[in-house]
Amino acid sequence: MKRLVAILLSALCMLFNLPAFSVTDENPLDSPLSSVSYSGRFSDVFSNPAALPLIETETGPFAFSLSGADSLDSSLFGSDPMPLLQNQKWNMQASFIARYVALTAFFGTEFERLRPDDLQYDIHSSLHIEVDMAYAVPHLSMGLRVSGGNKMIRQNRTIDSFPLIFANAWFSPFERESGSESFDVGAGAIITFGPVSGGFYVGEILTLRSDSLYFGWDALAESTTLSLSVGAGRFTKSGDLRFFRPRGSISMTGLVDASTRKVELEAELTFQFLPESSATLAISYLEMSHSVFSFNPANGYIGVFLRGEGAGFSGTIGFMFKATDFSSFSPSIAFSYVS
């Protein structure tokens, strides 16, 4: 336990000094390590609850992670006194896991710079609760998600030094953020035949709009993700641990409106040193506002991520940037522990 506390404290200190980033506001599918057709890791559950019964290693009853986010504008470097605090997010999540059910609480702090040319911020504090349930039969797993939360806000805070980051995030007065309440019911499935897996997830079967529950085809279409992946199994046919384990997927979110549709191509290669120790290199191309069969790199992002795992712990570092230039870019870091 002392070792665990020491590691978590070290991770926390590193997190507060290194920015991390998620291109489109913390969506787990934006990572090249995530897809609704992927399964095997506990982290896959946050992309699709149907992955819960398909975890490949023994998972204890508890999981904990620290992560962060900041979309960085390169033009501010050299002239801005706080270039690493632009739209930064800190996130902590804790999960309680059973075989077919997982309960997760997400705690977040987000710094929203109001204008790029000054140091005025709105600071949002959020609490989000998620319950994932799933059941699997041969070749098919089905999952259900119920989630909800809200936010508090500290408005128009001036932050021009490092100590003021924490003073404003944790100790200044706050008020409820109007319209921040959320409630969603989603469902997904994963179908697997040998090395091929297909997955889908609908995030808003029911959703909260204008203080009432809403069911509509527009919400269903906008929140639907379809994915197809191909990958090698964890073990060879002879039962030996596979050292090189490649995997790739193609995913599309949004079925009707091109302005909200996105597509992602991703590939990864995992080096499995031991059953509980591995390293994964992943790359991806993510395009926003995608027109089917017509790619536009101006709306695209390239992602390169490296993940290491061992004895329940995992760490991920990454870098994402615009496909056409480096006008905005995004280093990232995250730490997780699964008992």
Side-chain angles (χ1 to χ4, degrees):
M1 180 58 69
K2 290 182 178 179
R3 180 184 173 211
L4 172 60
V5 172
I7 292 175
L8 292 178
L9 289 176
S10 299
L12 188 63
C13 291
M14 293 182 68
L15 173 68
F16 289 157
N17 287 275
L18 291 172
F21 181 69
S22 174
V23 169
T24 54
D25 195 22
E26 303 177 40
N27 190 326
L29 296 180
D30 295 341
S31 167
L33 293 163
S34 300
S35 168
V36 299
S37 59
Y38 283 177
S39 62
R41 302 186 181 104
F42 177 68
S43 58
D44 294 325
V45 175
F46 300 114
S47 300
N48 190 342
L52 183 58
L54 305 178
I55 298 173
E56 295 176 339
T57 57
E58 290 293 331
T59 300
F62 179 71
F64 178 82
S65 70
L66 295 169
S67 63
D70 201 331
S71 56
L72 302 176
D73 183 348
S74 61
S75 66
L76 298 181
F77 283 82
S79 60
D80 191 280
M82 300 290 289
L84 295 180
L85 187 69
Q86 296 184 26
N87 295 284
Q88 194 167 118
K89 302 177 179 71
W90 304 341
N91 291 287
M92 177 178 68
Q93 66 188 57
S95 300
F96 299 91
I97 311 162
R99 185 175 182 182
Y100 299 114
V101 180
L103 171 65
T104 304
F106 302 84
F107 305 91
T109 300
E110 177 182 350
F111 297 83
E112 178 188 2
R113 185 177 285 202
L114 301 180
R115 289 172 297 277
D117 56 347
D118 65 23
L119 298 177
Q120 294 288 320
Y121 298 83
D122 283 349
I123 305 170
H124 309 266
S125 296
S126 61
L127 171 62
H128 184 82
I129 303 295
E130 179 175 296
V131 179
D132 294 308
M133 298 162 281
Y135 187 77
V137 296
H139 305 295
L140 174 64
S141 180
M142 298 172 288
L144 178 70
R145 170 169 296 155
V146 180
S147 62
N150 57 24
K151 292 182 179 181
M152 309 299 287
I153 188 171
R154 300 163 175 87
Q155 293 182 298
N156 297 312
R157 301 291 174 174
T158 299
I159 301 177
D160 56 10
S161 64
F162 187 76
L164 288 178
I165 297 176
F166 302 98
N168 283 281
W170 292 337
F171 303 111
S172 61
F174 57 84
E175 58 187 20
R176 186 177 70 87
E177 184 172 346
S178 177
S180 67
E181 298 82 3
S182 65
F183 178 83
D184 297 290
V185 177
I190 297 175
I191 303 172
T192 303
F193 288 96
V196 179
S197 294
F200 80 88
Y201 178 66
V202 183
E204 297 181 359
I205 296 175
L206 283 177
T207 188
L208 185 65
R209 293 188 180 180
S210 301
D211 297 325
S212 62
L213 287 178
Y214 175 77
F215 171 84
W217 295 112
D218 55 339
L220 293 173
E222 291 175 4
S223 65
T224 295
T225 299
L226 304 176
S227 178
L228 181 69
S229 63
V230 179
R234 191 174 179 220
F235 297 96
T236 64
K237 291 182 179 180
S238 61
D240 296 325
L241 186 69
R242 193 186 303 273
F243 181 64
F244 295 105
R245 188 182 182 187
R247 183 166 63 170
S249 78
I250 179 171
S251 305
M252 183 178 69
T253 301
L255 301 182
V256 179
D257 188 355
S259 66
T260 59
R261 183 186 301 126
K262 64 182 181 181
V263 66
E264 184 169 17
L265 308 173
E266 55 192 48
E268 66 177 49
L269 178 62
T270 298
F271 302 89
Q272 299 185 125
F273 307 111
L274 294 169
E276 292 187 348
S277 299
S278 65
T280 301
L281 175 65
I283 59 174
S284 70
Y285 173 76
L286 171 68
E287 184 172 297
M288 315 302 295
S289 302
H290 174 73
S291 297
V292 180
F293 306 121
S294 177
F295 286 88
N296 182 5
N299 296 329
Y301 297 85
I302 304 295
V304 181
F305 278 56
L306 179 65
R307 176 189 177 105
E309 295 180 275
F313 292 93
S314 67
T316 303
I317 58 174
F319 192 81
M320 298 194 77
F321 54 91
K322 288 184 67 67
T324 53
D325 56 44
F326 286 89
S327 60
S328 63
F329 64 96
S330 46
S332 65
I333 187 168
F335 301 92
S336 299
Y337 169 74
V338 181
S339 64

